[in-house]
Amino acid sequence: EMYSLGQIAMSLRLCFVGLLLLGNGSSFGFNTFYFDNWWQQDPPVAAVCPQTVTVNFTVYQRVPLPGKRKCTDHRPPSKTQDSTCTDAYADSHNNWVQGIQFGGADWPNKHQRNWFIRITDPNTSVEYTQNPLNLDAVAGFRCFSSPGLACLGTTPSVFPPLSIPTILHKVPILNGSTISIHHRTVGSLAVPGYNGGYQPFQVRSMTANKNNSSCSQSQPLGTIWQRMWAFVADEVHLGGNLGVLRDVFVYEAESTSVVLPEGCLGAMRLERYYWSKKYGRVRQEGMESPACRAAPCTLQCNGMYPNADVTVWNYLLDGDFHAPEECGL
């Protein structure tokens, strides 16, 4: 695609190597300079900028859409419409809540509520965004903890599912057309802290008690090992009324329920999440390797995930959706 000199000059004004200025203008370093509104520029940042950028995940995740929700269809969920919608908002403690509403026979009681918090690792002083709680009205309420510890406590561990540093440096910009739903994206960044290796967390069920503000936690149901990767996709074609989105932040999580032998290229499951500075989370993918799950050894865990499930929230519709609070959260 060809761009005019004027377009390129405008984008270059917002992108050069040397000075790092984060969104609030309070942090300086020696990486890539960017403004928090770089998704608005034409041409895409990948066309004129260096091949890596510094990402503040907060500005991708905390995208309020007052009076709106994102849906998988141009019709919202109902008993007869099997679509889903998602919405996000800050709760009274300034934690970020992501709610998902499902259509079908169980509507309007079928929903999911993910609760994102930000903590600082006392060992490294690095701030992480993590998802320690999943309240699913169908699959059950679950929480995620450091091994041997209860959920939602302040602990040295920062590796519940999808824990990612709030600020990520040297995130590669990759061609969105090269993303595959069957394997991890080549060239992505191994998220620091995981360092390409797996970190464990435990899964606990929670018993909801709607008559009070607390939920009891079970003993651990099992331990999951996870590692994460990240990149910025220059363009992602979503369809719907969102169309083409530029400079989309993507992270990928590979996970396994057993410790895999050395040399495994992949794991049992791969999940991928897409985030837009304009719309928040817009797409997610879950991919499975039945061969690795059945026989977790080097040969079967080859990094290919033939079974894929994809959800795309590519229609912006009127109407908020705030998932009901449970467990005082």
Side-chain angles (χ1 to χ4, degrees):
E1 183 175 359
M2 299 298 293
Y3 302 103
S4 70
L5 290 177
Q7 287 176 307
I8 294 175
M10 177 61 72
S11 292
L12 284 173
R13 287 174 57 196
L14 303 178
C15 182
F16 59 86
V17 175
L19 177 67
L20 166 65
L21 174 62
L22 297 179
N24 58 12
S26 62
S27 300
F28 293 85
F30 295 94
N31 289 292
T32 301
F33 172 92
Y34 71 93
F35 281 115
D36 274 343
N37 68 337
W38 54 301
W39 59 268
Q40 296 173 318
Q41 304 309 314
D42 190 7
V45 68
V48 294
C49 289
Q51 295 305 299
T52 64
V53 291
T54 293
V55 168
N56 181 345
F57 179 49
T58 303
V59 299
Y60 283 90
Q61 182 196 43
R62 293 185 168 237
V63 183
L65 297 170
K68 299 289 185 180
R69 52 185 162 165
K70 295 162 294 184
C71 300
T72 57
D73 192 89
H74 68 281
R75 295 165 293 178
S78 67
K79 283 188 179 296
T80 58
Q81 174 61 24
D82 193 22
S83 57
T84 71
C85 288
T86 183
D87 199 0
Y89 54 94
D91 67 10
S92 58
H93 302 287
N94 200 33
N95 298 310
W96 197 247
V97 176
Q98 183 96 35
I100 302 176
Q101 180 186 36
F102 300 87
D106 294 326
W107 182 89
N109 298 315
K110 189 178 179 183
H111 62 269
Q112 185 181 101
R113 189 170 187 268
N114 295 293
W115 190 60
F116 293 90
I117 64 174
R118 294 163 67 181
I119 68 167
T120 300
D121 180 357
N123 298 318
T124 64
S125 298
V126 174
E127 185 184 73
Y128 284 78
T129 298
Q130 61 178 226
N131 174 22
L133 187 67
N134 175 267
L135 304 181
D136 192 322
V138 177
F141 293 1
R142 300 177 299 162
C143 66
F144 312 101
S145 69
S146 304
L149 298 173
C151 300
L152 306 179
T154 301
T155 71
S157 178
V158 290
F159 297 106
L162 309 182
S163 296
I164 191 165
T166 303
I167 305 294
L168 271 176
H169 300 291
K170 298 183 179 179
V171 180
I173 303 168
L174 304 179
N175 188 324
S177 65
T178 65
I179 301 172
S180 169
I181 60 170
H182 295 302
H183 59 77
R184 184 171 58 79
T185 303
V186 177
S188 54
L189 170 73
V191 172
Y194 298 87
N195 295 321
Y198 292 90
Q199 294 288 345
F201 64 88
Q202 290 183 327
V203 182
R204 297 170 182 259
S205 67
M206 300 180 71
T207 301
N209 184 345
K210 297 186 178 182
N211 296 321
N212 59 44
S213 61
S214 65
C215 288
S216 59
Q217 298 178 23
S218 73
Q219 294 299 311
L221 301 176
T223 300
I224 302 294
W225 283 263
Q226 175 184 264
R227 62 181 180 179
M228 290 188 64
W229 314 83
F231 62 95
V232 171
D234 59 353
E235 289 186 347
V236 174
H237 294 248
L238 287 182
N241 62 12
L242 296 190
V244 178
L245 299 182
R246 292 175 173 172
D247 307 313
V248 174
F249 179 58
V250 182
Y251 59 66
E252 302 174 332
E254 287 183 297
S255 59
T256 171
S257 61
V258 299
V259 177
L260 295 174
E262 292 290 332
C264 288
L265 298 177
M268 297 179 179
R269 182 172 175 82
L270 173 67
E271 296 182 6
R272 182 182 292 129
Y273 298 86
Y274 298 69
W275 300 81
S276 160
K277 287 189 176 182
K278 192 172 182 180
Y279 301 109
R281 188 166 69 177
V282 291
R283 179 182 171 111
Q284 65 184 39
E285 301 162 357
M287 294 145 275
E288 290 276 343
S289 172
C292 181
R293 191 173 291 279
C297 64
T298 302
L299 181 63
Q300 280 74 22
C301 302
N302 60 7
M304 297 301 294
Y305 303 89
N307 297 354
D309 180 61
V310 180
T311 301
V312 186
W313 293 290
N314 54 1
Y315 287 89
L316 190 65
L317 303 183
D318 291 332
D320 289 310
F321 171 69
H322 288 191
E325 292 192 6
E326 304 284 359
C327 309
L329 299 169

